[in-house]
């Protein structure tokens, strides 16, 4: 680290190994569902000139990255309510000044064949840290998922995300491969407020209506 005595700015870099992510649950409860062991790095800058407004207000910038040591599991609580086995993972993120917003990009997850590239923007973090009121936290996720056999779609697609569409796909599409799927999810607090998705499916069989012939390939 480096401390500038004139402007009282502390810049630092810290490396960590063999971190059990569940140990971070004291900060955010969602970490309880992440059975992951990671290596990574944290770097940032703290402005120590004015420490009267609380800890988060001294943060000028804060960024982190983490990679998985060995296979683990992720549980995403309500409204998703689904488990994933994680075989490989890279996560990168950065907070804006005073930890008002968290931006994550260039993140990658391998769940044992299917892979996903994930980015997200979370706002309202500062309010949550000040008041412990999670209802004002809003997160928008964008995810690109690749190489999912159609038979596995119900296993990786949480049924709470568009339950009618989920049921229709499960009952009427069979065989083939989802080469790419793109999703945008928006949550406010713990409420799922928006879901948008696009699936690129090849070599599959689709039954559009019971009275109509099956469409193949």
């Amino acid at each position: 680290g480096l401390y500038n005595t004139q402007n009282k700015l502390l810049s630092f870099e810290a490396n960590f190994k063999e971190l059990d992510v569940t140990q971070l649950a004291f900060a955010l409860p969602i970490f309880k569902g992440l059975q992951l062991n990671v290596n990574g790095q944290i770097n940032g800058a703290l402005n120590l000139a004015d420490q009267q407004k609380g800890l988060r207000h001294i943060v000028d910038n804060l960024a982190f990255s983490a990679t998985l040591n060995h296979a683990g599991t992720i549980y995403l609580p309500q409204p998703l309510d689904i488990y994933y086995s994680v075989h490989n993972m890279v996560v990168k993120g950065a907070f804006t000044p005073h930890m008002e917003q968290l931006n994550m990009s260039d993140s990658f997850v391998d769940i044992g064949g299917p892979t996903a590239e994930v980015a997200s923007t979370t706002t309202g973090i500062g309010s949550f840290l000040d008041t412990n009121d999670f209802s004002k936290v809003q997160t928008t996720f964008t995810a690109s998922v690749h190489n999912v056999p159609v038979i596995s779609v119900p296993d990786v697609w949480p049924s709470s995300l568009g339950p009618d569409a989920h049921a229709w796909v499960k009952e009427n599409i069979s065989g083939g491969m989802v080469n790419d799927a793109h999703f945008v999810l928006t949550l406010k607090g713990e409420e799922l407020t928006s879901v948008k998705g696009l699936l690129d499916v090849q070599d599959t069989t689709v039954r559009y209506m019971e009275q109509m012939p099956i469409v193949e390939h």
Side-chain angles (χ1 to χ4, degrees):
L2 179 65
Y3 179 60
N4 187 315
T5 57
Q6 292 184 333
N7 59 20
K8 296 187 177 181
L9 188 67
L10 171 65
S11 57
F12 66 93
E13 179 179 296
N15 298 295
F16 56 88
K17 293 183 178 180
E18 300 289 336
L19 173 65
D20 182 354
V21 175
T22 56
Q23 294 177 357
L24 303 176
F26 71 90
L28 284 175
I30 194 173
F31 287 127
K32 292 180 180 179
L34 308 182
Q35 300 293 328
L36 304 172
N37 188 277
V38 298
N39 298 337
Q41 184 180 86
I42 301 173
N43 56 72
L46 306 179
N47 188 336
L48 305 179
D50 184 5
Q51 304 180 43
Q52 304 302 314
K53 295 182 179 180
L55 181 62
R56 73 177 180 86
H57 290 277
I58 70 174
V59 176
D60 268 13
N61 62 74
L62 185 65
F64 60 89
S65 61
T67 58
L68 195 64
N69 283 321
H70 47 71
T73 60
I74 291 177
Y75 172 65
L76 303 177
Q78 296 286 356
L80 302 182
D81 190 27
I82 192 169
Y83 280 94
Y84 292 114
S85 296
V86 181
H87 294 247
N88 194 9
M89 182 187 73
V90 176
V91 175
K92 297 181 181 180
F95 290 92
T96 59
H98 309 316
M99 301 181 73
E100 294 288 354
Q101 179 172 309
L102 171 62
N103 300 314
M104 297 182 64
S105 60
D106 300 324
S107 298
F108 167 86
V109 181
D110 178 351
I111 57 174
T115 60
E117 299 165 1
V118 183
S120 67
T121 299
T122 303
T123 59
I125 297 176
S127 176
F128 167 69
L129 293 174
D130 290 341
T131 66
N132 205 33
D133 181 4
F134 193 65
S135 65
K136 296 182 181 180
V137 177
Q138 180 165 308
T139 303
T140 299
F141 291 96
T142 59
S144 296
V145 183
H146 312 286
N147 305 321
V148 184
V150 168
I151 194 173
S152 299
V153 166
D155 299 327
V156 299
W157 180 359
S159 59
S160 58
L161 299 183
D164 293 339
H166 181 282
W168 190 91
V169 168
K170 184 176 180 179
E171 294 172 6
N172 294 284
I173 299 181
S174 60
M177 179 76 72
V178 180
N179 291 343
D180 295 286
H182 305 281
F183 297 97
V184 180
L185 315 177
T186 303
L187 295 96
K188 188 170 185 180
E190 297 181 352
E191 180 185 358
L192 184 67
T193 58
S194 175
V195 182
K196 300 178 182 179
L198 175 66
L199 278 69
D200 176 9
V201 187
Q202 294 190 358
D203 298 324
T204 191
T205 298
V206 182
R207 181 188 299 275
Y208 286 96
M209 298 177 64
E210 290 185 3
Q211 302 86 350
M212 300 295 291
I214 292 174
V215 178
E216 297 181 311
H217 306 298

